[in-house]
């Protein structure tokens, strides 16, 4: 990986870290000045207020995506705040549980049909940052209106937090785990293939929330991207979906070869790479079941990502199979199966549960045929 690419990948966490350090300094300085003549109890009240403000900031951000998407002709599909997710299933709204590493929330909508290969996409992607910016301006002006120094300081700190969120989401940046809204909007503006890739992702997600499996969706949605296109995270997601579909169709060898290419070429952002490695481990368990190969796939980075993605049913499935087949630790395997069942209970994509159960059964049966663990 070149130095320039490394700088681009680490730009988002570095900028975010510096901005939040600055926010913390500003909060301490502003609050310290305003509390000079107040009872210390006001200090204690600040933290729950800030906690509530952070939650509201996530809601406002995702609501910005929702409003801008609906204005652009999209339809509601799902709305997630932290791990609580509202999905629309056959006209009914249901509460599910799901989380994604590197995100505090997510608003996924059904895009309008493409006209001449295009559709409105930029406003929907920038809606969250736009909502953050508007919120920061409104709250800042409110802080000026308050004569009480303590209340004024609280509002200024909340406004600063919204401004930091607008910057870290609106300016095009990426990390090893995920890309931000600004980066996606920038990619969409200049790349027609990226716009189509996002459209496909949203359509696939909408069908998935309805309980439709990948193998039952249109074939034309699952065409492997060209190698040079895989450098774009929006397009590389389609490559991952294609491999997921191969897994559902039991084309394990083909899926394994394709995913290993993506992993070796280092074209996947963290969340996609983590899931691809999990599927490669599954393919190995159903094939030669070589302990050394599996240990090579379970790098320190992979284990860290799997730990942060414990609410992904594929990650739990992988941990269960490693415990049962490789480590032969029945107690640990039973515990992980309980985690699997708990995750499955409120998982937003019901067809994934059915697929994962089938894959678990196939892997366990394959291990019982007597493959070596060398």
């Amino acid at each position: 990986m070149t130095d320039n690419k490394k700088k681009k990948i680490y730009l988002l966490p570095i900028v975010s870290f510096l901005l939040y350090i600055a926010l913390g300094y500003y909060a301490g300085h502003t609050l310290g000045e305003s509390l000079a003549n107040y009872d210390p109890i006001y200090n204690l009240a600040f933290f729950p207020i800030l906690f509530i403000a952070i939650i509201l900031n996530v809601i406002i951000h995702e609501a910005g995506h929702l409003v801008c998407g609906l204005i652009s002709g999209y339809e509601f599909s799902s709305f997630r705040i932290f791990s609580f997710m509202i999905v629309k299933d056959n006209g009914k709204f249901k509460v599910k549980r799901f989380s994604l590493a590197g995100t505090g929330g997510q608003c996924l909508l059904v895009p309008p049909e493409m006209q001449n290969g295009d559709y409105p996409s930029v406003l929907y992607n920038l809606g969250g940052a736009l909502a953050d910016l508007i919120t920061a301006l409104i709250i800042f002006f409110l802080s000026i209106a308050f004569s009480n120094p303590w209340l004024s300081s609280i509002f200024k700190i909340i406004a600063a937090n919204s401004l930091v969120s607008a910057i870290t989401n609106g300016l095009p940046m990426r990390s090893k785990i995920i890309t931000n809204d600004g980066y996606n909007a920038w990619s969409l503006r200049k790349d027609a293939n990226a716009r189509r890739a996002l459209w496909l992702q949203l359509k696939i997600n909408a069908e998935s929330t309805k309980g439709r499996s990948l193998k039952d969706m249109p074939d034309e949605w699952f065409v492997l991207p060209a190698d040079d296109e895989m450098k774009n995270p929006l397009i590389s997601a389609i490559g991952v979906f294609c491999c997921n579909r191969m897994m559902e169709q039991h084309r394990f060898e083909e899926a394994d070869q394709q995913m290993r290419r993506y992993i070796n070429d280092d074209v996947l952002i963290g969340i996609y790479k983590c899931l691809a490695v999990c599927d490669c481990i599954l393919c190995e368990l159903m094939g030669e079941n070589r302990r050394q190969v599996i240990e090579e796939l379970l790098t320190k980075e992979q284990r860290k990502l799997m730990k942060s993605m414990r609410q992904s049913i594929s990650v739990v499935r992988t941990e269960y199979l490693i415990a049962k087949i490789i480590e032969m630790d029945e107690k640990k395997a039973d515990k992980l199966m309980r985690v699997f069942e708990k995750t499955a209970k409120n998982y937003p994509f019901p067809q994934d549960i059915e697929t994962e159960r089938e894959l678990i059964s196939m892997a366990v049966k394959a291990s019982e045929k007597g493959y070596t663990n060398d």
Side-chain angles (χ1 to χ4, degrees):
M1 186 182 296
T2 65
D3 291 339
N4 286 336
K5 188 174 180 181
K6 285 183 179 179
K7 288 177 183 178
K8 289 179 180 178
I9 287 178
Y10 288 107
L11 187 60
L12 178 56
I14 290 173
V15 171
S16 298
F17 176 76
L18 292 175
L19 283 173
Y20 280 105
I21 287 291
L23 176 62
Y25 174 81
Y26 173 76
H29 179 73
T30 302
L31 199 62
E33 287 187 343
S34 68
L35 289 174
N37 300 315
Y38 283 84
D39 191 283
I41 195 67
Y42 281 84
N43 280 313
L44 297 177
F46 167 72
F47 294 102
I49 290 174
L50 184 61
F51 178 73
I52 293 170
I54 291 172
I55 294 175
L56 289 174
N57 178 248
V58 175
I59 295 173
I60 290 170
H61 178 89
E62 298 307 329
H65 286 298
L66 176 62
V67 171
C68 289
L70 294 176
I71 290 173
S72 301
Y74 290 65
E75 296 179 6
F76 185 89
S77 179
S78 65
F79 188 90
R80 178 174 61 84
I81 301 298
F82 300 114
S83 65
F84 293 94
M85 185 175 183
I86 299 173
V87 300
K88 189 175 183 181
D89 181 10
N90 296 319
K92 296 181 179 179
F93 293 97
K94 299 179 180 179
V95 178
K96 301 291 183 178
R97 296 293 298 274
F98 181 72
S99 65
L100 188 64
T103 68
Q106 197 173 35
C107 175
L108 297 176
L109 306 180
V110 186
E113 294 303 316
M114 288 191 283
Q115 302 292 331
N116 298 319
D118 203 1
Y119 66 103
S121 57
V122 175
L123 182 61
Y124 163 58
N125 275 270
L126 291 179
L130 184 61
D132 290 334
L133 184 59
I134 293 171
T135 301
L137 291 172
I138 291 173
I139 294 179
F140 177 74
F141 284 118
L142 285 174
S143 73
I144 297 174
F146 281 104
S147 58
N148 184 300
W150 186 77
L151 283 176
S152 178
S153 296
I154 292 293
F155 272 69
K156 284 179 181 177
I157 293 167
I158 294 173
N161 180 64
S162 294
L163 180 60
V164 169
S165 181
I167 294 171
T168 56
N169 283 285
L171 291 181
M173 291 182 284
R174 63 177 292 185
S175 70
K176 289 190 71 175
I177 297 177
I178 202 165
T179 57
N180 73 349
D181 296 331
Y183 187 95
N184 291 338
W186 175 73
S187 297
L188 294 167
R189 181 185 58 82
K190 66 177 191 136
D191 191 338
N193 289 329
R195 289 195 294 275
R196 173 171 169 75
L198 176 64
W199 186 88
L200 286 171
Q201 287 182 60
L202 294 172
K203 293 290 282 187
I204 290 170
N205 176 78
E207 292 300 310
S208 295
T209 57
K210 297 175 184 176
R212 194 176 181 190
S213 62
L214 299 180
K215 62 185 178 183
D216 294 329
M217 295 182 197
D219 292 339
E220 59 268 24
W221 288 5
F222 299 92
V223 178
L224 285 168
D227 289 347
D228 60 334
E229 294 178 336
M230 286 292 294
K231 297 175 183 178
N232 185 305
L234 289 172
I235 298 176
S236 66
I238 302 304
V240 174
F241 275 124
C242 289
C243 293
N244 294 157
R245 192 174 192 244
M246 292 175 195
M247 296 288 289
E248 284 192 10
Q249 295 171 328
H250 298 177
R251 295 156 57 193
F252 299 118
E253 185 175 349
E254 186 179 352
D256 187 44
Q257 290 177 354
Q258 194 63 47
M259 288 184 294
R260 286 179 186 273
R261 279 188 58 209
Y262 292 157
I263 293 167
N264 293 334
D265 292 345
D266 199 23
V267 295
L268 302 177
I269 58 174
I271 54 173
Y272 296 141
K273 183 177 180 180
C274 176
L275 295 175
V277 171
C278 284
D279 283 345
C280 284
I281 291 172
L282 176 70
C283 291
E284 180 64 29
L285 289 171
M286 289 195 292
E288 296 183 63
N289 195 6
R290 294 163 295 182
R291 180 184 291 270
Q292 182 181 348
V293 172
I294 292 172
E295 288 178 349
E296 287 173 356
L297 288 167
L298 286 171
T299 62
K300 183 178 179 180
E301 180 185 13
Q302 175 66 12
R303 290 182 183 275
K304 184 178 179 181
L305 281 169
M306 287 173 66
K307 187 176 180 180
S308 70
M309 294 175 64
R310 264 290 181 87
Q311 285 200 332
S312 167
I313 204 75
S314 298
V315 170
V316 182
R317 167 256 287 166
T318 305
E319 292 183 330
Y320 166 77
L321 290 174
I322 290 171
K324 185 171 182 64
I325 299 173
I326 298 298
E327 298 172 354
M328 297 183 180
D329 187 336
E330 288 295 332
K331 186 176 180 180
K332 183 179 178 181
D334 289 343
K335 182 180 179 181
L336 286 165
M337 180 50 66
R338 289 195 294 272
V339 174
F340 181 94
E341 295 298 344
K342 183 179 178 181
T343 304
K345 189 177 296 184
N346 292 305
Y347 206 67
F349 311 112
Q351 77 292 339
D352 285 0
I353 304 301
E354 182 181 342
T355 298
E356 294 297 350
R357 292 190 196 282
E358 181 184 30
L359 293 175
I360 287 173
S361 177
M362 292 178 70
V364 171
K365 286 179 180 178
S367 69
E368 293 172 350
K369 292 180 180 179
Y371 290 121
T372 64
N373 268 355
D374 297 334

